[in-house]
Amino acid sequence: MKKIIAAFVLFISVSMTANAQDVKKSNSQEKQITTIETRKVDFDDLAKKDTYKLVKLLQLDQQMAKDLNGLFLYKYNQFSLAKNENEKKQISEQIEAKLRATLTPSQMDKITSQPDLLKSFDLS
């Protein structure tokens, strides 16, 4: 009888230890998901600010604003994944090329005439 009780107690203690480890893993996964969601929200806000600056300066329509917001969101996501300055420079060049392809030359002239604006977009 003592052996059965000892085996039962041992079984319960092993089960509780295994469950405690599972809880720790799930908590760390929740923290990681929360961090990613927070970062995405921050990137969305930054992209909206950049888009607003361009829409205000160039008097762009709604569709163009939506396209530029997507471009800036892409920019911030890629910058967060970049490992060094060389990669960031390549991303900046990509974004600038896409921006030049999207906007007319006169619109690009307005943007390039304002170095502070270019610096805020990290394209210079």
Side-chain angles (χ1 to χ4, degrees):
M1 185 72 175
K2 289 181 183 180
K3 289 182 183 179
I4 293 174
I5 293 174
F8 181 72
V9 170
L10 181 64
F11 175 73
I12 297 296
S13 64
V14 169
S15 298
M16 292 178 70
T17 304
N19 286 337
Q21 290 175 355
D22 288 342
V23 170
K24 287 182 182 179
K25 287 179 184 177
S26 67
N27 286 343
S28 66
Q29 288 174 349
E30 288 175 9
K31 288 178 185 177
Q32 184 179 11
I33 290 170
T34 304
T35 304
I36 291 170
E37 289 173 355
T38 303
R39 185 174 66 186
K40 186 174 182 178
V41 170
D42 292 342
F43 291 159
D44 194 39
D45 290 342
L46 292 170
K48 284 180 183 178
K49 287 178 184 177
D50 287 351
T51 303
Y52 177 75
K53 289 176 188 177
L54 279 184
V55 168
K56 185 177 173 184
L57 176 69
L58 303 175
Q59 310 297 318
L60 300 173
D61 64 353
Q62 195 70 10
Q63 182 60 39
M64 184 67 80
K66 183 178 176 184
D67 294 342
L68 289 174
N69 190 51
L71 180 66
F72 289 129
L73 189 57
Y74 171 78
K75 175 186 86 166
Y76 286 113
N77 282 325
Q78 292 303 310
F79 271 8
S80 72
L81 299 174
K83 294 181 176 95
N84 56 37
E85 289 300 316
N86 190 27
E87 288 182 15
K88 287 184 179 184
K89 184 178 178 185
Q90 289 175 346
I91 293 167
S92 292
E93 290 171 358
Q94 272 184 335
I95 299 301
E96 184 175 3
K98 289 179 181 183
L99 199 58
R100 287 187 185 280
T102 304
L103 300 174
T104 65
S106 63
Q107 290 173 329
M108 278 307 295
D109 289 340
K110 283 184 180 180
I111 294 172
T112 54
S113 68
Q114 298 187 8
D116 293 337
L117 186 64
L118 278 178
K119 189 181 271 187
S120 73
F121 293 150
D122 289 327
L123 299 177
S124 55

